[in-house]
Amino acid sequence: MKFTKLFIGLFLSIGLVACSSDDTITDEEQGLKSYELISIQWKLNEADGPHIIEKKIPEFHFRNETDTIMEVVIEPLKNLKGSSIFKFNDSVTFTEINYSEAQVSITRELSLLSEEYSYLVGGVKVPLTEEKSFFPFTWNFTDSFTLNKGTKLTSNYTVFLRKNKANFLATFKETSTGETVELDGTWTGLFFNNVEEKSLVEEID
């Protein structure tokens, strides 16, 4: 009787090890799948579109307390950048696929899009990722001033940013089997729109 119990116990142990091995192989095989992005399409929904965001830059102050002329150059956009972020409706599937990150085109001009999916060519390139990424503005400028001795300059800048929102459909292909996966979601991008400036030169009290 004791021998019978021992035999059954060994049989069950071997069966459990075999099942665990099979599960491990399945997980490893699944992990070997590798996907690549083959296309991304864009469209606008009724709730999508551009919105203007106002951002005030901290004041610039300069004083010329010397006996010579002072040249002042201000770059109000120096520390500002555009941004991009993708949000997948099926975020779990996107995080689970073995995908080599790719750069995709985004647009500042939403007038290029419609209610039907279409492709974009050119424009700013950003990574297709659910983490926020940043890119330099395509436009920059400087302000130059000449301060005589005994004068001071105060400059204020208000930057207006264009917040774009659109829908996307990304198609991924498994590199060995050709299997495709389509994932949709929303994208939000921030671009430079325009800037307003007010400067005042006064005598130092």
Side-chain angles (χ1 to χ4, degrees), residues 174-192:
E174 209 284 315
T175 54
S176 59
T177 64
E179 168 196 4
T180 59
V181 175
E182 290 187 339
L183 297 174
D184 62 357
T186 58
W187 162 80
T188 304
L190 207 58
F191 299 83
F192 172 78

Side-chain angles (χ1 to χ4, degrees), residues 8-163:
I8 293 173
L10 287 173
F11 177 78
L12 290 174
S13 298
I14 293 171
L16 288 172
V17 171
C19 290
S20 298
S21 299
D22 289 343
D23 291 342
T24 303
I25 291 173
T26 302
D27 292 340
E28 289 176 352
E29 288 176 349
Q30 185 69 23
L32 290 176
K33 286 187 176 183
S34 181
Y35 290 82
E36 62 180 356
L37 178 71
I38 58 174
S39 71
I40 183 167
Q41 300 178 67
W42 302 83
K43 74 173 184 177
L44 292 179
N45 287 340
E46 290 184 3
D48 297 337
H51 302 277
I52 301 300
I53 298 175
E54 181 178 318
K55 181 177 180 62
K56 289 190 177 295
I57 306 282
E59 276 190 341
F60 291 89
H61 297 277
F62 299 91
R63 295 169 65 92
N64 185 4
E65 297 177 324
T66 70
D67 292 329
T68 59
I69 291 176
M70 175 188 290
E71 299 294 337
V72 175
V73 176
I74 300 177
E75 298 178 77
L77 303 182
K78 184 177 181 180
N79 298 316
L80 295 179
K81 288 186 176 182
S83 65
S84 168
I85 187 168
F86 293 83
K87 290 297 182 184
F88 286 84
N89 291 328
D90 188 352
S91 182
V92 174
T93 298
F94 176 69
T95 56
E96 288 179 348
I97 64 174
N98 184 16
Y99 151 68
S100 297
E101 189 175 282
Q103 299 278 319
V104 299
S105 295
I106 59 175
T107 181
R108 178 182 179 277
E109 300 300 332
L110 290 182
S111 58
L112 298 174
L113 306 179
S114 66
E115 294 181 356
E116 301 293 330
Y117 277 120
S118 60
Y119 297 96
L120 282 175
V121 178
V124 177
K125 295 279 190 178
V126 296
L128 178 60
T129 173
E130 289 195 300
E131 296 180 0
K132 183 178 287 188
S133 60
F134 299 92
F135 55 88
F137 290 140
T138 56
W139 190 85
N140 198 4
F141 78 98
T142 60
D143 262 348
S144 298
F145 300 88
T146 300
L147 292 184
N148 295 321
K149 63 180 182 179
T151 60
K152 61 182 180 180
L153 167 68
T154 303
S155 291
N156 289 278
Y157 294 88
T158 301
V159 177
F160 296 90
L161 303 173
R162 181 191 294 257
K163 184 179 181 180

